[in-house]
Amino acid sequence: MRKIPQVNVLAMLLALAALIMLPQKAWSGEIKGSIKAQGLRSPENIVVYLTKAPAADLDLSRASFVMDQRNLEFRPHLLPVLVGSTVQFPNNDEVDHNIFSMSRTKKFNLGSYKPGDSKAVLFDKPGIVELRCDVHAEMAAYILVMENPYFAVTDKKGEFQIPDSSYFQQADLAGVTDLLPGEYFIKTWHEKLKTQKKAVTISDDGNEPVQLNLKRGVPSVLYK
């Protein structure tokens, strides 16, 4: 039997190892990135979203969005939800609260209610809703009512991923598909930072992470 020369076997092994060592590109259905926020202690709680996105037919009847009240604070400080979502406002504090909003997107006043009670509000118009408590002036939070599900909230490191699958799993909302290749525009929103808009292209063979640098200032509206 004829033997294969040792040098050829070695060359094949080296070539195979080189292929394995090649870097793998990110799958094209996601937009990943990070944000540096000038003048903030932490780059978390910044919403990054697509201004326009493919239509998504989602069933919101089982979705669970909660704006909690604990230790004289709203939790979370910033909550993005989809148009048509109902948000629960449980009082898990030790005192009464009176949650209200004077925002044009959604004006409401839940009245005073006791610990252990909960009330709900339907958000049927896109935009920004500032929350306050009529009993505790120091309490403030924001609900962002989004037109599409392609948004994310930055973590403590300022990192984000669109779509944010973990967010929708927590909200018990299924059916959010990955993005198709093409050009999209992302925008940011935080109550203390200037809004930034950036074009992002998703290609078939992967994408580089997006890096955004934000400065303090007045944010713009979500949609024009």
Side-chain angles (χ1 to χ4, degrees), residues 3 6 21-22 29 36 56-57 65 76 83 92 99 121 124 126 130-131 143 148 152 165 173-174 186 198 201 206:
K3 295 184 178 180
Q6 187 68 26
M21 295 290 288
L22 285 175
K36 293 182 179 180
D57 185 16
F65 297 103
V83 173
N92 288 308
I99 309 307
V121 176
D124 52 5
E130 182 178 3
L131 302 175
I143 291 178
N148 66 72
S165 57
L173 184 61
I186 60 173
K198 184 179 180 67
T201 299

Side-chain angles (χ1 to χ4, degrees), residues 26-32 161-163 165 178-179 200-202 207:
W27 192 48
S28 62
E30 301 172 345
I31 297 175
K32 295 183 179 181
Q161 175 180 311
I162 301 173
S165 57
D178 290 287
L179 292 165
V200 177
T201 299
I202 295 181
N207 315 283

Side-chain angles (χ1 to χ4, degrees), residues 62-66 75-76 79 164-174:
R62 294 180 55 189
S64 175
F65 297 103
V66 178
R75 299 185 183 181
L79 177 67
D164 188 346
S165 57
S166 61
Y167 179 88
F168 290 110
Q169 288 176 1
Q170 184 178 357
D172 196 19
L173 184 61

